[in-house]
Amino acid sequence: MAYRKLSEIVMELEHPQQSDRFVKMFRNAVREGDIDAIELKERFTLPKQYKRRGGEGSYERQARDMVFEATPKSEKWIGQAKDDLSKISTRGGRSKVVPSLETVESGEVDFKALVEETRRNMESKYNRGQQLGSSRKQRGTKKK
């Protein structure tokens, strides 16, 4: 059976700034039983560069390394995780596609997903308005 290290996979990522997200996803997959892995005592440095707010310079973080079985199931999970991460835009990365008639017609954005997001946002705004109105109504009756 072939074994691989988490640090090797992290170094192969297309966007090093997403290495912390990948490690978090990997640890969740191990916890949920999707991947069989063991923790090692050694640590590795994430390729992501962190910047201090209000300060100058950058710093790096470390994570505990893990060894996992390189099975078709784990390789498929890693491929899917890398694909999911590539779709997530980062601040310095690709810009987010703005929904418009042209982007919907060309298929650049998922119309059904945007419909669900719009419904959630509208429901949230409606509920906040209802709560605000009911709290004002209650406050008004107490003052009299």
Side-chain angles (χ1 to χ4, degrees):
M1 189 60 54
Y3 298 98
R4 294 185 71 186
K5 282 185 161 185
L6 174 60
S7 56
E8 295 171 6
I9 303 300
V10 169
M11 297 305 163
E12 295 172 0
L13 289 175
E14 187 176 336
H15 302 289
Q17 288 298 103
Q18 294 179 333
S19 59
D20 58 339
R21 285 186 184 176
F22 181 82
V23 169
K24 188 174 184 179
M25 290 169 61
F26 187 86
R27 288 180 147 317
N28 287 339
V30 170
R31 187 176 47 249
E32 293 170 2
D34 295 337
I35 296 175
D36 296 331
I38 59 170
E39 271 189 333
L40 301 175
K41 290 191 184 271
E42 59 194 59
R43 295 179 161 274
F44 69 98
T45 304
L46 295 173
K48 179 175 181 172
Q49 294 293 317
Y50 295 88
K51 296 189 188 273
R52 299 187 196 284
R53 288 188 181 177
E56 292 189 22
S58 61
Y59 64 98
E60 297 173 334
R61 288 191 181 165
Q62 292 187 341
R64 284 187 84 165
D65 209 351
M66 300 181 87
V67 172
F68 66 96
E69 281 185 309
T71 62
K73 181 181 175 185
S74 65
E75 295 299 326
K76 180 180 176 186
W77 184 92
I78 290 169
Q80 182 65 39
K82 286 180 179 179
D83 188 45
D84 291 347
L85 284 176
S86 69
K87 292 178 183 173
I88 298 172
S89 66
T90 56
R91 287 183 188 170
R94 298 171 301 247
S95 62
K96 188 176 179 181
V97 177
V98 179
S100 66
L101 178 61
E102 292 80 20
T103 57
V104 170
E105 287 176 343
S106 68
E108 289 182 55
V109 294
D110 184 11
F111 182 73
K112 295 292 184 187
L114 289 175
V115 166
E116 289 303 316
E117 183 180 346
T118 302
R119 284 188 181 136
R120 279 195 311 269
N121 287 342
M122 291 177 76
E123 183 69 25
S124 174
K125 289 176 185 177
Y126 175 78
N127 289 336
R128 274 187 268 148
Q130 294 298 313
Q131 288 174 346
L132 180 62
S134 65
S135 67
R136 286 184 178 165
K137 185 173 31 171
Q138 290 172 358
R139 229 183 313 148
T141 58
K142 290 180 182 178
K143 288 185 178 178
K144 288 184 180 178

